[in-house]
Amino acid sequence: MKKKLQTLLLLLGITVFSVIQLWAQTNTCPVPAGLTSSNITHNSATVSWGAVTGAAGYTVQYKPVTVLSWLTLNVSANTANLTGLLANTTYEYKVRTVCIATSSPNTTVVSDYSPASQFTTLAPPPCPVPTGLVSSNITQNSATVSWAAVSGAVGYTVQYKTAAATTWTTISVTTNSANLTGLLAGTAYQWKVRTVCVAETAGTPVFTVIFHR
């Protein structure tokens, strides 16, 4: 009786092992290979890899190389657009495959992540200096100053002062004009403007415009 029980347990163990081995063989999910990066700008990049036969999707993780935590993106094709990146920064990314288990259509299995690959974003584009400065609507104590709008600008910094002063008054605006108030009557003023871009601020221009009332 004892021998029969041992034989039964042995056969059961072999059966369980065979089932596990069969499940593993029929539910493998290949690791993506051939990682490449393209279309790299100062704040975005496209990453791609070789398509895996039978893949239901992919999980992409990416981060700056100096950061510990990963950002995760799920995609259905073998490419992903990474946006909102930092300029002039080296990123690393890795990908894993999501498969449908052949032994259980309602179950997904995932591969290991691929070895990480890297790319470096470009330096930010230059922030143009404003041009076409104009003074208008000049009264005894106010004036409107304006300039040509700069594409991509998020705002502008205007500085103005009397021609004899050494200290500038600074104001920030979001459009390509500013109203200067509290001015002195019969006084010559100088003003200048610079562009504020997302990534950087342009240097202060050397030209000035003088207006007086």
Side-chain angles (χ1 to χ4, degrees):
M1 181 67 178
K2 183 177 180 181
K3 187 174 182 179
K4 288 183 178 180
L5 180 60
Q6 289 175 337
T7 302
L8 179 61
L9 290 174
L10 178 61
L11 291 173
L12 181 61
I14 293 174
T15 301
V16 171
F17 175 78
S18 299
V19 170
I20 293 174
Q21 188 178 44
L22 178 62
W23 189 93
Q25 290 174 346
T26 57
N27 291 281
T28 55
C29 197
V31 175
L35 277 65
T36 59
S37 54
S38 60
N39 301 324
I40 299 171
T41 71
H42 68 284
N43 62 3
S44 65
T46 299
V47 295
S48 56
W49 51 93
V52 175
T53 301
Y58 304 90
T59 302
V60 181
Q61 288 193 323
Y62 63 100
K63 66 179 182 68
V65 293
T66 56
V67 175
L68 295 178
S69 58
W70 294 86
L71 297 171
T72 301
L73 181 64
N74 294 311
V75 295
S76 57
N78 61 318
T79 185
N81 294 318
L82 310 183
T83 59
L85 306 181
L86 300 174
N88 205 26
T89 301
T90 299
Y91 279 79
E92 59 182 343
Y93 67 100
K94 55 186 180 180
V95 188
R96 72 179 180 185
T97 312
V98 179
C99 301
I100 301 297
T102 55
S103 60
S104 178
N106 295 323
T107 303
T108 58
V109 292
V110 295
S111 71
D112 291 332
Y113 276 101
S114 66
S117 187
Q118 295 184 351
F119 64 85
T120 301
T121 53
L122 303 181
C127 197
V129 173
T131 59
L133 279 65
V134 176
S135 304
S136 61
N137 301 324
I138 301 171
T139 70
Q140 290 184 340
N141 57 11
S142 67
T144 299
V145 295
S146 59
W147 52 93
V150 176
S151 177
V154 296
Y156 304 90
T157 302
V158 178
Q159 289 189 323
Y160 64 98
K161 68 179 183 67
T162 64
T166 57
T167 303
W168 294 87
T169 298
T170 302
I171 60 173
S172 296
V173 295
T174 56
T175 61
N176 60 317
S177 67
N179 294 318
L180 311 183
T181 59
L183 306 180
L184 300 175
T187 303
Y189 278 80
Q190 296 176 331
W191 67 278
K192 55 187 178 181
V193 59
R194 68 179 180 182
T195 311
V196 178
C197 298
V198 173
E200 63 177 4
T201 302
T204 303
V206 296
F207 54 80
T208 59
V209 172
I210 299 176
F211 62 89
H212 62 86
R213 179 70 177 178

